Amino acid sequence: MQVLRTNPTARTKSLHITSALPPSASMPIAFAATAGVVSLLAWADAKRKSEKPVIQLPSSPAAAAFHQGVLDRCQSIHEEYKCVPGLTNGHVETIFAAKLRRSPKVEYARECLIMADKGCVALDWDHEAQGLPEDAPIVILMPGLTGGSGDSYILHAVVHARELGIRAVVCNGRGTAQSPVTTPQYYSASYTGDIREVVAHIQRTYPRSTLLACGWSLGANILIKYLAEEGQASPLSAAVSMCNPFDLSISDANFQVGFNRIYDWNLAAALRRIMGDHGALWNRAKGKFKPKVAQAARTIREFDDAITIHSFGWESTDQYYAASSSSKAVPQVAIPMLCLQALDDPIAPKEAIPYEALRENPNCVLATTPCGGHLGWVSGKGGPLEAPWSNEVMMQWLVSVMQSQKEGQGMMGGIAGAEAKLEEVGAKR
């Protein structure tokens, strides 16, 4: 039997050499290993959360059949929503999209529309859409609180609308997007007077065009309230609501929790900037306005308490939030409407989504994604730095609704046809 002997001295030297590697040589190895583990965990988390959007159709079988027919032409909403590794947290995705998303170049033609109360609303028309036919469909884009025509998600929507032959116009809230403020009144979650006058103006200017609308965040809240007030008389043919806070009392309470305070402070700062540009109007205004308090406001609630509720006659901020929530207006919406919500939205929390009201309205469809943040949805086909996922979904859906209407299957006609088919199937059974 042969015995293999080792040399203890050689082994000791070998171990000594290994342990004596300089820190500068071992750090890259440790960093690479850590980065690999983190990347793997991020990939696994994104894979676990990725799934197809959950679609809620109306409870009415006939209405569900109509909407399913519309959705069948919308490929993107049926595909898996692929969460981006490292961006599966609602806060991270919200901030990433706001700070890093690329903005396409858009040239606007601004039209300042004077309202009945002498206030001004700036309409930014897509200048490059001038070559479209006179009767091309028109989509009215309504940004979120303090947002405007220069925001990346709006710019991408303008470009995609033009590519589909739809003329886009951005309805900037008073004072946003560097628009003039001529009266001591901004816009609010409850006030639909401006969008009503804007729609009427566009209808007069383009009487042969189909009118559509898309709203984000607070813009979505205002849009739904407007649709509810118009009911069957609405000049709009279809609408999309995205990242809607729905219940402003829940949203306000949500702002006061943890990291969400950062959003509250940031939005309040934007309101202060607008106020600072036009503060003299409120200094001279009659009423209970508190311009000095507003210019020092640290939260949206503080600003609303100092300015908003007095502009629109509310007794308190709590009353204003409760009465202005679009969740209560959902039952009165009388045109096809798609609602897109991200379940990890830190500003429009999932607890505020009026599932039952949407289900019971034959005109409404709800689609939710596991990730997306607020105004994020960075899983678009162009990658996290390009157009949001919601961009293609909303445009495909609007085009599909118009196609149904062109085929003689408007909302009521489509439901009536579906009811007839259901009765036919029942009779055969």
Side-chain angles (χ1 to χ4, degrees):
M1 181 176 68
Q2 187 178 15
V3 179
L4 296 177
R5 299 182 181 277
T6 60
N7 187 333
T9 304
R11 185 171 63 178
T12 302
K13 287 182 179 179
S14 176
L15 289 174
H16 176 72
I17 293 171
T18 302
S19 62
L21 285 173
S24 59
S26 59
M27 283 179 63
I29 298 175
F31 178 80
T34 302
V37 171
V38 171
S39 298
L40 182 61
L41 291 174
W43 177 85
D45 183 55
K47 184 69 175 177
R48 177 178 61 84
K49 292 181 178 179
S50 296
E51 61 182 40
K52 292 183 178 180
V54 176
I55 300 174
Q56 176 183 281
L57 295 172
S59 59
S60 163
F66 169 80
H67 285 291
Q68 188 61 60
V70 171
L71 291 169
D72 284 346
R73 289 191 286 259
C74 305
Q75 179 182 353
S76 58
I77 203 170
H78 296 295
E79 297 174 346
E80 181 182 56
Y81 183 85
K82 297 181 179 179
C83 300
V84 177
L87 298 178
T88 56
N89 176 276
H91 296 299
V92 175
E93 189 164 3
T94 298
I95 296 170
F96 179 93
K99 300 298 183 182
L100 298 178
R101 175 178 284 146
R102 297 191 185 110
S103 297
K105 185 178 179 180
V106 173
E107 184 178 353
Y108 288 117
R110 173 159 288 191
E111 177 183 15
C112 290
L113 192 63
I114 304 302
M115 302 287 102
D117 69 341
K118 307 304 181 183
C120 177
V121 171
L123 300 180
D124 284 335
W125 294 87
D126 178 15
H127 184 68
E128 296 180 52
Q130 287 185 329
L132 294 177
E134 189 74 12
D135 61 349
I138 296 174
V139 60
I140 303 169
L141 307 178
M142 301 173 65
L145 179 64
T146 74
S149 53
D151 290 351
S152 64
Y153 63 94
I154 295 291
L155 292 168
H156 280 289
V158 170
V159 171
H160 196 37
R162 186 199 315 140
E163 293 171 346
L164 296 174
I166 301 174
R167 194 188 315 274
V169 57
V170 185
C171 179
N172 296 294
R174 301 189 189 196
T176 63
Q178 299 180 327
S179 61
V181 177
T182 55
T183 62
Q185 176 181 306
Y186 291 131
Y187 60 104
S188 80
S190 64
Y191 186 63
T192 58
D194 286 351
I195 185 59
R196 183 170 289 103
E197 290 193 54
V198 165
V199 171
H201 169 71
I202 295 174
Q203 194 176 30
R204 289 192 300 268
T205 307
Y206 295 94
R208 297 168 54 204
S209 294
T210 298
L211 303 186
L212 313 163
C214 296
W216 290 259
S217 197
L218 190 70
N221 190 87
I222 297 171
L223 174 59
I224 289 182
K225 285 186 65 65
Y226 164 74
L227 294 176
E229 292 170 4
E230 293 296 299
Q232 296 284 355
S234 173
L236 303 180
S237 295
V240 181
S241 161
M242 290 162 283
C243 302
N244 192 335
F246 280 116
D247 190 313
L248 301 186
S249 298
I250 293 178
S251 181
D252 175 58
N254 186 64
F255 271 132
Q256 300 170 31
V257 177
F259 191 86
N260 295 341
R261 293 185 177 93
I262 300 297
Y263 306 121
D264 200 9
W265 297 337
N266 185 63
L267 289 168
L271 289 169
R272 290 198 307 271
R273 286 193 293 272
I274 296 174
M275 184 73 184
D277 294 337
H278 310 94
L281 284 170
W282 276 266
N283 291 331
R284 300 192 301 266
K286 297 179 181 180
K288 299 179 180 179
F289 297 111
K290 306 171 188 175
K292 291 184 179 179
V293 174
Q295 289 172 342
R298 295 277 293 169
T299 66
I300 298 172
R301 170 178 274 271
E302 289 178 2
F303 186 91
D304 287 338
D305 187 64
I307 296 294
T308 309
I309 63 172
H310 305 300
S311 293
F312 299 97
W314 298 104
E315 294 182 3
S316 69
T317 304
D318 286 333
Q319 183 195 50
Y320 162 54
Y321 289 161
S324 304
S325 298
S326 61
S327 57
K328 298 178 180 178
V330 167
Q332 285 76 49
V333 173
I335 66 168
M337 181 174 72
L338 172 65
C339 295
L340 298 177
Q341 299 286 130
L343 296 181
D344 67 348
D345 191 323
I347 295 176
K350 61 184 179 181
E351 292 80 10
I353 300 174
Y355 286 97
E356 189 62 26
L358 291 168
R359 184 184 296 110
E360 293 306 313
N361 188 325
N363 303 286
C364 299
V365 174
L366 169 67
T368 59
T369 57
C371 303
H374 190 72
L375 305 177
W377 279 312
V378 299
S379 295
K381 290 185 177 179
L385 295 176
E386 301 300 333
W389 167 86
S390 55
N391 203 46
E392 187 171 18
V393 172
M394 70 179 183
M395 289 302 174
Q396 283 185 356
W397 185 83
L398 289 171
V399 169
S400 183
V401 171
M402 287 191 293
Q403 186 173 341
S404 292
Q405 293 170 342
K406 186 177 181 180
E407 294 170 351
Q409 296 179 1
M411 186 66 206
M412 299 312 295
I415 292 178
E419 287 175 338
K421 290 182 180 180
L422 288 173
E423 291 177 0
E424 182 181 345
V425 171
K428 289 181 179 179
R429 289 179 178 175

